[in-house]
Amino acid sequence: MINSAPEVRALQNAALLEPSVALLELRLAELAASIAERDAEGIERASASLHKALASSVADFQRAARQGGVPPALRQRLILAGGQVATLREVVARATRSLDRAIDVLLPESTVLGVYGAGGSSLRQSQGGLLA
């Protein structure tokens, strides 16, 4: 039977944090699914929802820490969610690097010719003769 004030607070904190962590896990799963489907609009929506869930979870965990602590099981789930965020961030970074390489191949630097620099001078390389 629960008798002490810290035990009661721990149960209250668990009740407060459980929905917050569950929502965070759901938003992470939605983002992962959108990334796997290569759904740009879904990624944007899921990212925004995940951002809101993360902000809410951080606030809830801070409040719980001030009011008697965070139950170890929920702390572990939050740590796992943080790992999932890091993994998804790396997936997006790799995809971005691949896209950058593809753009470099498809649009080599020579396509920049004809553009003017900050000082007004042409960035074009001389092809022999006069610069345009």
Side-chain angles (χ1 to χ4, degrees):
M1 179 161 218
I2 297 174
N3 295 325
S4 70
E7 290 173 326
V8 170
R9 278 194 302 272
L11 280 177
Q12 289 171 337
N13 286 344
L16 167 75
L17 296 173
E18 174 60 37
S20 181
V21 173
L23 180 61
L24 182 59
E25 292 166 339
L26 174 66
R27 298 300 183 232
L28 280 165
E30 290 171 350
L31 179 58
S34 293
I35 290 171
E37 294 169 5
R38 300 180 189 270
D39 175 8
E41 289 179 20
I43 291 170
E44 282 296 317
R45 277 191 310 274
S47 294
S49 295
L50 176 59
H51 183 26
K52 289 177 188 173
L54 281 167
S56 177
S57 288
V58 167
D60 290 344
F61 272 80
Q62 287 174 338
R63 190 176 318 110
R66 286 189 304 269
Q67 297 174 351
V70 175
L74 290 174
R75 182 177 304 174
Q76 184 62 31
R77 285 173 62 193
L78 185 64
I79 290 168
L80 290 173
Q84 289 175 317
V85 169
T87 299
L88 292 174
R89 186 182 306 129
E90 180 58 29
V91 167
V92 170
R94 270 186 270 139
T96 301
R97 287 190 299 270
S98 291
L99 179 60
D100 288 345
R101 283 191 302 273
I103 289 171
D104 287 344
V105 168
L106 294 172
L107 302 172
E109 211 171 303
S110 64
T111 60
V112 177
L113 300 178
V115 177
Y116 291 94
S121 61
S122 175
L123 295 177
R124 278 185 60 167
Q125 300 296 318
S126 174
Q127 304 294 322
L130 298 173
L131 283 175

